[in-house]
Amino acid sequence: MKTSPTNRVSLVQISHTCRWIVTLLPAFLICLALPSAAHAAPAVSREAGRVVVTGADYRVAFTPEMAGFTFQLKTADGEWYNVAEKESDSTLALFDGGEHPIRGQRATWAIEEKADYVAVGQQAVLRPDTKTILDLHLVCLDEGMLIGTRLSSSESAMSGHFWCPPRIRLAPDDWDRYLFWGPDGDMRSGRLVDLDPCPAYAGVSPWEQKGDTVAKLCADRPAIAVSCQWRNMGLAVVFVDYARRWSETCAFIQRHTPSSLYLYGGYSKAASANDVRWAWLAPLSNGDASSLARRVEGLVSSGEQVARSFQAISQPVPRVWLEKLQDFPADLRRTEPIRHIEDAVVFTINEYTASSYAVNVAKKIGSDCLIRGWFKWAEAPRTDRWTGFPPQVHELGALFGGGITCSALYDQENGLSRDQLLDMATRGPAGQLIDAWDEPGIRHGSLSSQAYLEYLFRWCREQIDGGADYLFMDEHTAALSGMEGYDDHSLRDFREYLLSHCPLTQGWSSDDRKWHDKLGIDLADEEVCPDSTIGSFDYRAFMRKKGLFETPMSAGNPLAESWAQFRTWRDDRAWRWLTDRIRAYAGEKGRTVYISANGIAKYVDLQVLGVWGDWAMHDGHIDLSESQLSTWRSTVKQGRGTAGRRVPVVLFHDWGFGDPPFPFLAAPPSDREIWMRVRGAEIYAAGAFFAFPVLGPFGCDAQRDGTLHVIQQQAAFYQRHRDLYLRGRYAGSDALASDAPNLTLAAWQLDEPSSLLLHVINRNADGGELRRMQDVTIRVPIGELPEKVSVVSPDWDGTRSASCGLVGDHLEVTLPDLDAYSVVILEFAKAPDVSRLRDPMRIVPVMRWSRPARSAFQVQADGIVEHGAELNGYLQGMLHTHLRNPPTFLVDATAKGELRVKVRAVATLGAKLQYSVDGKVEQTVDLPDLDHKNDGGAREYDKVFSFRIPPGRRRLTLENVGGDWMTVSWFEWEGEFASP
């Protein structure tokens, strides 16, 4: 773009006439002037595992041990705005024939808080093969953040280019203008949309010279900036010592397409970064044109002062980080994929495995099943281009997993017409389109739409044809909120349900008076029932006349419970159709394709579900203070009970919306390693499997974050000892005891040879470090000595010994040392009596802020609670009556027993737990607020309350009749029960 008088003007002209200010640069310059430098240091806080440094108009978040940062600006209304369109869109990187970004890389970590600044030091390995190390210094002052970088390599001269300051992908709709000074000192600015035709540039471009480009920036005012007028915010990159250190660097804005916009803060030869160079990333707001130049010059000056006096605090990378991780041991790798999914012992998340890089990562881990190697979100991948990857994974002895979303419909995805989208998308109560998860451009599909079901199956078919052995079906119930699901297809199916399947209306004729008397449906109202029968019932018209559009699931809706039951019935029917269709198609191809949902579901070959609320952090580190074995064990029982057979139950760290969107990444890598070593061991000890996070969205890459070696170590152990986990069976945990603190203990039985397996897991973590323990003694309620004792562990190679002896009617076993996890193998001449090891029947509910769809739960003799996955950990009181649907447990007690409830926390209004047997109140427990936190996850009570169960067939109801909610950690039944 040729520079015209309207976008190019000298500083002298600006200072001499306000007419130029008003006419030429009003919108941009009002947004782009730095605030005066303050002397106080930015504030430092620690939130959800991150360190957040907050200046006057910006804040930056760091994850300890992770290279890089997230930069936010304060908008005119005081809100925080992520500068990068996505967190992963801010990139410092080395390009030397391949891309080596630092985001996600493991880094050393140091922080220093001074009176007038906060400094963070990091070192990360960009390329282990060439020993290329990035030394990163981040100095946060009130007016902005100074970024100092240096590259070094001990193996070879550095080649390629380096992005620093970072390349930032900007949201095109949020940024409207640019500004920089050319080498002659003249200011240049303009509208970003005028950089056209695309690609076009503003600043110093290394590529095409299209748009508003110059050879260099002004040495006195070396800055390039973008602004957002309507948010009253701006962002600038300002170089320090430009003439000497940055003059060969390109810095520019690229309007790549009308929908993609990039700020390249710095693009220079890697060899020129062999000494620390400094540049500002700073907010620009609340100023006028005359002060803009002075303040940029002031940033340059203050940056030079910092550079002269700064003392580096970054710590050298450990030598082990520079070593290449070898492939998984060949003697432990299966020679071919398993024939039955029940034989899998190591699962991993590998989204995506569609590159040589991803296959090489898979070679390190010895997985039996790669979950989500492919996945269909919006624009589906061309699987015909990826067909070479499943055979490569098969050569590694692993199954290749694909998957699809069963819920999300994106506007115009995969060539869908608007009419197709409108037909398949579900609706709100008034028939309106609903943004799925409040995200514009995304809808949820209707599982009553046959066209939508066929659309879902299409992607399953294509992945099967591409070589997938297993399909992960995300959100198989379409993930609808309480305000969704009211599309015409679903209303048609609801009519069918009321006439043929609803328990309440079973046997009613289409014109039965009970429709009016029991449910308030006026068959004579032509708007509600045009043909005067339920066969033409318009549920939407019914809700409109009852004023229920805003609260369709409230207690004031007589059809709310029937609608919830319908949804369960319809979702089950759709899911059954889809799984049957997948299996039939695979059979036609002579293939076996395994199926899971994301969450506990019927009709599956394995249960796969996310770890959501079942993990926590405290003071920036993972919280291991409580054993979670009962949670994992409850999940195993529910998963197998729902499937109707002994299927593998696999847990993984799921991702989704939020900040950060993948909470596991909020923990430092060393904490992630501890979690996998400790909580992963608990999951295995409970009879489930943990899917190790190898590759995933939002920057999840175990090779880059350094956790891959721990995953390899864990996988090698489980493969080496797979028979213990595949042939053994859980015996119990509650009866095991130890004087050592913070242990998780579980006992298993093994028939050949007759053995008892003791899983001993160390939860003694402090400040992100696991404390090794000595002389750990476990008491086991068995009155006989084993013939042989041995110990195996993923924390060391080989087999070690342990001592044991009888003390009264108990066996005492002492381990000389314990790192994270050990398995003690006690071999007996014949099977030992384990009757005293049996645990009570227990189930852990899921925490959901919603009205439970079900209130009656059948308790089986084996402790399985039918539909137990629908139990809600929130028991609502009288404040949120629309969310109330208290549970009733149906039991057949052959003798008297006990129902125990572990209450975790209550709301500030308190709660009152009322226990009824067959409708008669037997016991009431007042639960006043104790901690004033109003936090359902707080350990406010952590107390067990017991309630008597009389013999016979009983209905046991737990109802909160207090002021507000209470949370339940688990329900437990003690006694003998018969199956119905």
Side-chain angles (χ1 to χ4, degrees), residues 303-318:
E304 290 173 347
Q305 293 176 28
V306 170
R308 283 193 298 269
S309 61
F310 180 71
Q311 298 293 317
I313 62 170
S314 60
Q315 302 297 306
V317 299

Side-chain angles (χ1 to χ4, degrees), residues 33 81 88 141 261 287 317 349 485 507 515 536 564 642 770 864 933:
Y81 174 85
S88 58
L141 295 98
L261 181 69
V317 299
I349 303 293
W515 297 110
S536 62
T642 301
L770 196 63
I864 297 295
K933 291 183 177 180

Side-chain angles (χ1 to χ4, degrees), residues 343-394:
D343 293 332
V345 72
V346 175
F347 295 83
T348 55
I349 303 293
N350 295 73
E351 186 178 340
Y352 292 106
T353 301
S355 66
S356 58
Y357 174 84
V359 173
N360 287 332
V361 171
K363 291 179 180 178
K364 314 292 184 188
I365 51 179
S367 180
D368 290 323
C369 181
L370 273 60
I371 297 176
R372 292 171 66 134
W374 294 336
F375 197 82
K376 182 267 177 191
W377 282 114
E379 292 299 317
R382 286 284 302 275
T383 52
D384 58 338
R385 299 177 183 174
W386 289 1
T387 55
F389 294 108
Q392 295 180 58
V393 169
H394 294 159

Side-chain angles (χ1 to χ4, degrees), residues 619-809:
D619 290 338
H621 296 286
I622 56 167
D623 186 351
L624 299 176
S625 57
E626 290 185 290
S627 170
Q628 293 184 247
L629 185 75
S630 62
T631 299
W632 316 132
R633 185 63 193 161
S634 176
T635 301
V636 171
K637 293 169 70 175
Q638 289 302 121
R640 292 174 178 173
T642 301
R645 58 194 178 94
R646 190 184 172 92
V647 298
V649 177
V650 184
L651 292 113
F652 75 108
H653 274 289
D654 206 343
W655 45 87
F657 300 103
D659 184 21
F662 192 175
F664 194 56
L665 295 185
S670 60
D671 279 63
R672 298 178 214 166
E673 292 174 346
I674 293 173
W675 199 100
M676 290 187 284
R677 296 171 64 200
V678 175
R679 294 300 191 203
E682 279 189 346
I683 289 170
Y684 273 87
F689 303 93
F690 177 63
F692 296 96
V694 175
L695 295 175
F698 310 114
C700 176
D701 185 330
Q703 179 159 274
R704 294 180 54 75
D705 69 23
T707 61
L708 193 62
H709 77 285
V710 166
I711 294 176
Q712 184 185 83
Q713 181 185 45
Q714 300 297 302
F717 172 78
Y718 292 117
Q719 289 290 14
R720 182 176 287 112
H721 301 287
R722 63 174 73 117
D723 284 350
L724 299 182
Y725 298 90
L726 299 179
R727 293 170 43 223
R729 59 187 181 276
Y730 182 89
S733 63
D734 281 14
L736 301 174
S738 176
D739 292 332
N742 298 320
L743 294 185
T744 297
L745 304 171
W748 285 38
Q749 276 186 286
L750 188 65
D751 292 333
E752 289 292 336
S754 293
S755 304
L756 190 70
L757 311 176
L758 299 180
H759 299 262
V760 186
I761 303 164
N762 176 16
R763 303 193 325 273
N764 287 280
D766 183 23
E769 294 185 2
L770 196 63
R771 297 199 303 270
R772 194 163 180 253
M773 303 183 72
Q774 305 286 332
D775 298 323
V776 177
T777 298
I778 301 100
R779 291 185 293 278
V780 187
I782 291 179
E784 53 189 297
L785 284 170
E787 293 186 329
K788 182 181 178 182
V789 182
S790 57
V791 185
V792 294
S793 171
D795 301 318
W796 33 261
D797 295 331
T799 301
R800 297 182 182 178
S801 61
S803 61
C804 64
L806 286 175
V807 178
D809 62 350

Side-chain angles (χ1 to χ4, degrees), residues 28 31-34 71 73 83 143-145 147 165 168 175 179 181 222-227 233-239 263 265 279-285 292 296 299:
F28 191 88
C31 293
L32 291 187
L34 276 164
F71 199 87
L73 293 174
V83 169
E143 64 262 45
M145 181 173 70
I147 304 172
I168 302 174
W175 302 89
L179 176 143
W181 284 267
I224 187 163
V226 290
S227 76
M233 66 180 185
L235 176 71
V237 173
V238 181
F239 298 98
L263 169 64
W280 287 92
L281 197 59
L284 300 173
S285 60
L292 180 59
V296 169
L299 275 179

Side-chain angles (χ1 to χ4, degrees), residues 865-886:
V865 177
E866 191 175 5
H867 305 295
E870 298 179 41
L871 274 169
N872 195 337
Y874 278 99
L875 281 187
Q876 294 289 347
M878 308 313 292
L879 183 63
H880 305 287
T881 55
H882 65 290
L883 297 177
R884 286 171 52 82
N885 196 13

